[in-house]
Amino acid sequence: MEKNIPPIQILELHKSFGDLEVLRGIDFQVNAGEVVCVIGPSGSGKSTLLRCVNLLEIPTSGKVLVEGIDLTDPETDVDAVRARIGMVFQQFNLFPHLTVLRNLTIAQRQVLNRSEEEADETARRVLERVGMLDKIDEYPINLSGGQMQRVAIARSLSMDPDMMLFDEPTSALDPELVGEVLDVMRKLAEEGMTMMVVTHEMGFARQVGDRVVFMDEGVVVEDGPPDDVLLNPQHERTKKFLEAVLQQ
Amino acid sequence: MKKSTKAKVRRGILYGTLILILAAVVLVADWPTIQKAFFNPEIAAEMFPEVITVAAKNTIIYTALAFTFGLILALILALMKRSDIKPYKWIATTYIELFRGLPALVTIILVGFGLPIAMGVRIPGGTLGKGTVGLGIVVAAYMAETIRAGIEAVPRGQMEAARSLGMSKGAATRSIVLPQAFRIIIPPLTNELVILIKDTSLLFVLGTTIATKELTKFGRDFMNDTFNGTPLIVIALMYLIITLPMTRFVAQLEKRAARAR
């Protein structure tokens, strides 16, 4: 991969669900090694934008380029590109019928054609990184929410992704479990992972984010360094949103 | 009267009525005749061992083959019904509505006699082959809907998670969605198996030899030979020996599922 090709590049992206236009022309990019936090009120389109990056939602128009490959081109092998993009969901979406180990190895075996030994070894390595190695033989139902989300992060990491997408990774967690997940994400960021994070955790966005993007009503309202966007917003809508959030 | 006293009186009346009815039945019924007509130990003894080695065995074989054939067909139909390609969906819907709407007996006659007589199409394997196909066609229509409901009960996030790991739609369906769907549908599928066991009694219309009789035909022929109702009681017990463990199994599963929730 050439250095100057950004991992994620979005051009003039529109997305409608029926009559409802959720994204109204987004231009946006994430550079290599960058952590970009996307904030905004619910219904602003931030999750839809994230889901367009690995084509879980199909854009109505516009382009999504991942490492320079146009995902909206019908000739593109979307599965191959998705394998290089880790995705972490609000609801974890672990596979409940498989143990933690098998959750981490099934895609390695089927998509990357890794041998069982190699897949197992990778699984152990990434579980160690998220501090979940001792639960390797458990089923997801026996884990707490925070543990499930750490396993879900490990599942994505086991594919050795070039970048990670996080869709409100802590929103479904009890407050006391948020910290352990954010710690894992912070560590990932420090190790140089390219990350796009849709979140309500303003503290995380400020401390860990290289950039913060504020979205409202399907457009990017503000995009810049965390301190600029969060402490010194230029737009009225950003100010209003941040005031409302800080009052909680 | 106090509310609790009222409830007690009501329970008393209900129990009293029950005891009166039971007493009337016991007193009015002609027990020696009933015993001779339905509980004759000599006639019952004569049915063994064939009622097990032939009749029950055949019932189980018909059931197992029809269930296997039906399950494969049902899985294909369920996937067709969920297909993005409209004609596949239409074919599956038509099939399901048609064979759920017809009496099973009509379908069995269609396979056993309609096809050979009208079209010269003969299903190989005699009664076993025709029975498997006829019953399989019927049970597939019901099971297809069960499987579809099971697939739809698996949260969408499961498919999304699998796809986001780079798995193809087919691989994700096979390794992630279907195993979970089957876990959900084991109870309803077992219920359909119980219904199928009972529906094998319809296969008598295909004509059976001594070796291919299933329980109902076997019992009926025995009744005709002996002019006695005992064979019906014996085969009824046989059916219950097969079906009761299954319905108990389903009840257990449902209890466990309710507790897990």
Side-chain angles (χ1 to χ4, degrees):
Chain A
M1 192 180 78
E2 286 175 57
K3 269 269 179 288
N4 54 4
I5 296 179
I8 302 170
Q9 206 173 0
I10 286 159
L11 304 169
E12 204 36 44
L13 181 72
H14 288 258
K15 171 69 187 176
S16 302
F17 295 102
D19 289 337
L20 185 69
E21 194 176 21
V22 179
L23 299 178
R24 330 166 166 236
I26 306 267
D27 286 284
F28 168 79
Q29 80 176 45
V30 179
N31 300 309
E34 226 178 5
V35 177
V36 177
C37 292
V38 183
I39 61 170
S42 57
S44 59
K46 53 195 194 306
S47 280
T48 307
L49 172 64
L50 190 83
R51 290 161 59 83
C52 280
V53 174
N54 67 355
L55 229 62
L56 284 181
E57 302 294 350
I58 296 164
T60 310
S61 68
K63 277 191 196 311
V64 176
L65 302 164
V66 168
E67 296 175 340
I69 300 165
D70 183 2
L71 279 182
T72 51
D73 180 351
E75 297 299 318
T76 301
D77 180 358
V78 177
D79 291 341
V81 178
R82 276 186 183 139
R84 302 211 298 271
I85 311 174
M87 173 98 177
V88 176
F89 299 86
Q90 183 178 353
Q91 299 297 338
F92 329 130
N93 294 346
L94 290 180
F95 306 133
H97 63 304
L98 303 176
T99 61
V100 166
L101 176 65
R102 292 269 292 133
N103 261 278
L104 268 67
T105 55
I106 190 161
Q108 290 189 64
R109 305 268 286 124
Q110 291 193 7
V111 179
L112 304 179
N113 294 316
R114 285 183 181 160
S115 71
E116 200 176 332
E117 298 80 57
E118 197 189 351
D120 281 12
E121 205 203 312
T122 311
R124 279 170 205 287
R125 203 184 64 227
V126 294
L127 282 172
E128 176 99 74
R129 269 171 84 181
V130 302
M132 289 297 297
L133 189 53
D134 56 324
K135 302 284 186 190
I136 190 162
D137 293 320
E138 291 284 356
Y139 281 90
I141 192 153
N142 298 322
L143 304 178
S144 73
Q147 292 174 328
M148 283 197 232
Q149 195 60 298
R150 280 148 68 199
V151 170
I153 293 171
R155 179 174 65 181
S156 290
L157 290 175
S158 71
M159 301 293 285
D160 293 326
D162 296 340
M163 68 200 78
M164 295 274 287
L165 310 177
F166 293 84
D167 187 3
E168 303 197 20
T170 58
S171 297
L173 296 176
D174 291 335
E176 76 272 21
L177 302 177
V178 169
E180 61 186 81
V181 172
L182 291 183
D183 283 346
V184 167
M185 292 169 62
R186 189 172 294 126
K187 224 166 78 185
L188 266 181
E190 282 163 8
E191 287 162 11
M193 176 63 77
T194 305
M195 291 162 64
M196 180 170 167
V197 186
V198 170
T199 187
H200 294 294
E201 297 292 332
M202 297 303 151
F204 178 85
R206 196 171 156 214
Q207 288 164 23
V208 182
D210 295 307
R211 258 167 60 209
V212 168
V213 172
F214 174 71
M215 280 184 71
D216 194 18
E217 293 179 350
V219 293
V220 170
V221 177
E222 209 148 340
D223 180 348
D227 283 351
D228 290 3
V229 175
L230 295 173
L231 301 182
N232 188 22
Q234 300 301 306
H235 293 262
E236 202 51 44
R237 280 193 278 181
T238 320
K239 282 178 196 159
K240 263 196 178 146
F241 172 73
L242 289 171
E243 265 168 32
V245 170
L246 291 177
Q247 266 172 13
Q248 284 171 3
Chain B
M1 224 189 308
K2 275 198 337 213
K3 210 171 161 197
S4 59
T5 328
K6 233 186 208 165
K8 265 184 210 154
V9 168
R10 223 184 57 196
R11 280 177 76 82
I13 292 173
L14 286 174
Y15 271 111
T17 316
L18 181 66
I19 289 164
L20 276 177
I21 293 171
L22 284 178
V25 168
V26 168
L27 290 174
V28 169
D30 178 358
W31 290 107
T33 314
I34 289 175
Q35 199 207 337
K36 229 184 283 165
F38 285 103
F39 298 94
N40 185 324
E42 278 136 51
I43 291 176
E46 264 176 64
M47 295 173 75
F48 287 87
E50 284 81 7
V51 68
I52 291 171
T53 57
V54 177
K57 192 188 86 185
N58 281 335
T59 292
I60 290 168
I61 290 174
Y62 290 140
T63 307
L65 287 178
F67 190 75
T68 310
F69 174 69
L71 192 61
I72 295 166
L73 193 55
L75 183 58
I76 296 168
L77 285 165
L79 293 175
M80 278 172 74
K81 191 147 186 198
R82 286 179 50 78
S83 169
D84 297 330
I85 299 163
K86 284 276 153 63
Y88 278 131
K89 212 172 172 164
W90 296 332
I91 293 168
T93 307
T94 310
Y95 178 102
I96 291 166
E97 294 306 326
L98 179 66
F99 288 106
R100 282 204 307 186
L102 292 180
L105 196 52
V106 172
T107 306
I108 293 166
I109 292 171
L110 183 77
V111 170
F113 301 106
L115 290 181
I117 291 171
M119 312 246 314
V121 177
R122 225 162 257 287
I123 310 253
T127 306
L128 189 60
K130 288 182 227 163
T132 300
V133 173
L135 279 175
I137 284 175
V138 176
V139 79
Y142 290 93
M143 290 200 295
E145 282 295 88
T146 307
I147 294 174
R148 187 182 61 84
I151 292 173
E152 276 161 22
V154 176
R156 216 171 51 135
Q158 292 291 310
M159 177 57 103
E160 289 183 348
R163 298 303 306 274
S164 72
L165 289 164
M167 293 168 82
S168 67
K169 194 172 178 186
T173 304
R174 252 190 333 274
S175 317
I176 304 300
V177 178
L178 284 183
Q180 294 183 56
F182 270 98
R183 226 157 275 205
I184 296 168
I185 63 178
I186 283 174
L189 226 44
T190 311
N191 281 332
E192 266 143 34
L193 180 61
V194 170
I195 295 172
L196 180 63
I197 291 168
K198 297 182 290 179
D199 278 355
T200 55
S201 62
L202 298 170
L203 293 183
F204 77 91
V205 288
L206 295 174
T208 42
T209 63
I210 292 171
T212 61
K213 279 179 196 174
E214 43 63 56
L215 276 172
T216 301
K217 174 74 173 149
F218 182 87
R220 203 171 138 213
D221 287 355
F222 225 94
M223 184 179 70
N224 290 343
D225 290 346
T226 56
F227 291 101
N228 189 282
T230 308
L232 286 185
I233 299 294
V234 173
I235 64 155
L237 287 174
M238 286 292 150
Y239 276 117
L240 287 175
I241 288 170
I242 303 171
T243 55
L244 273 182
M246 293 182 152
T247 48
R248 290 288 85 206
F249 170 67
V250 172
Q252 281 296 318
L253 283 183
E254 279 168 352
K255 222 199 245 162
R256 221 176 56 186
R259 228 179 310 146
R261 234 177 270 132

